[in-house]
Amino acid sequence: MAVEDNTREIEATIVTDLRERMTYGSYLGLETLLQSQHPRSSPEHHDELLFIIQHQTTELWLKLVLHELDDARRLLVADDLGSALKRIARVKHIQEVLTQQWSVLATLTPTEYAQFRGALANASGFQSAQYRQVEFALGNKHERMLKVFESSPDDHAALAAELERPSLYDEFLRLLARRGHPVPAEVLERDVRKAHVFHEPLVEVFTAIYERAGEPGAGARQGDEDWRAYEACEELVDLEDNFQLWRFRHLRTVTRTIGMKTGTGGSSGTDFLRRALDLTFFPELYAVRTRIGA
């Protein structure tokens, strides 16, 4: 039945006296959050707010990604693979949001961006400490990257700690070894401060897991070790695929906005981003696809 004045009555049980009570705004810290956008262009350009919010929301999502990856590794160490996969599944959904978000920034035309780009000075996404922590957590480690954050002690310390910590892949391989899979000792004992590099014997380990999971009736045995390991492998592949899609959308958005210009942080711009597409976190999980059925 239509309401004559097109309004909805406030239910009597709804709390309206919020004095000295926890509120939506106070719980979320909105007073601080919504006052944290400070355009630098003068006169202020209309589209700079879009640019700032796009990157601030990305940083919030990255904070949650790190929170989930941190706990996923803790759970792998505790041999709780099922709960770790739940954390990874959440990261995958966050990645989808982050990738879709590029379409909003892509509405910024080259002419619009050029009118306030100078206000960024040397500020660049290359300097995102949280993004680097995510890359380190997934195994793409580069010790020289710490130099970028020497002027920010907290960021430098967080990234240094991540450099010293085993990656998600390291912890997964250690779990497989504890469960009887023949993961080579040199992989388990490697220097975790270095980026993981392709190791041929691991392909044999994953080939066995995939082939046993593909046997008739294996799908009905979802509680067995091989099936769980197989499921985890596919979750990690999803994670990397999503990361690569994010990288690609980043590249395409930058290309359509600034073309071949150098980055504000001093990088070569699109060429630098394009080379990132060659980096991989879990190379053996892709190599196994060539091996299976060959």
Side-chain angles (χ1 to χ4, degrees), residues 11 46 52 70 81 92 102 141 151 200 202 219 242 293:
E11 295 173 351
H46 172 81
I52 292 170
D70 181 71
L81 180 58
K92 286 163 51 180
W102 286 118
K141 296 187 178 184
S151 62
E200 178 66 36
L202 272 180
N242 285 350

Side-chain angles (χ1 to χ4, degrees), residues 63-217:
K63 182 174 183 176
L64 186 55
V65 167
L66 285 168
H67 179 68
E68 300 299 335
L69 291 178
D70 181 71
D71 204 47
R73 283 177 289 177
R74 180 189 65 81
L75 290 163
L76 289 173
V77 171
D79 282 310
D80 188 351
L81 180 58
S83 296
L85 294 182
K86 177 65 168 63
R87 304 292 186 267
I88 293 171
R90 181 172 292 163
V91 171
K92 286 163 51 180
H93 285 290
I94 297 169
Q95 288 177 307
E96 291 173 3
V97 172
L98 285 169
T99 299
Q100 292 168 2
Q101 214 171 262
W102 286 118
S103 64
V104 182
L105 193 61
T107 64
L108 185 66
T109 68
T111 304
E112 291 165 343
Y113 184 40
Q115 293 179 59
F116 68 85
R117 188 179 187 232
L120 275 65
N122 292 125
S124 167
F126 180 82
Q127 300 150 10
S128 170
Q130 290 196 125
Y131 174 80
R132 295 302 166 195
Q133 288 176 60
V134 170
E135 282 208 324
F136 279 22
L138 294 177
N140 183 18
K141 296 187 178 184
H142 194 331
E143 188 171 2
R144 289 181 60 191
M145 195 63 66
L146 269 68
K147 185 173 179 60
V148 177
F149 303 98
E150 286 180 346
S151 62
S152 176
D154 289 345
D155 289 339
H156 187 275
L159 196 58
E162 196 61 69
L163 181 72
E164 300 285 346
R165 186 177 179 186
S167 70
L168 182 71
Y169 198 36
D170 288 324
E171 296 295 10
F172 175 58
L173 294 174
R174 292 176 182 186
L175 178 142
L176 290 181
R178 291 194 299 272
R179 295 190 173 189
H181 297 278
V183 178
E186 59 267 30
V187 172
L188 299 173
E189 297 164 5
R190 78 178 195 88
D191 182 359
V192 299
R193 293 168 55 89
K194 306 293 185 182
H196 176 86
V197 295
F198 179 76
H199 197 76
E200 178 66 36
L202 272 180
V203 181
E204 298 293 339
V205 174
F206 290 128
T207 299
I209 290 172
Y210 273 77
E211 288 181 342
R212 286 195 293 267
E215 292 173 354

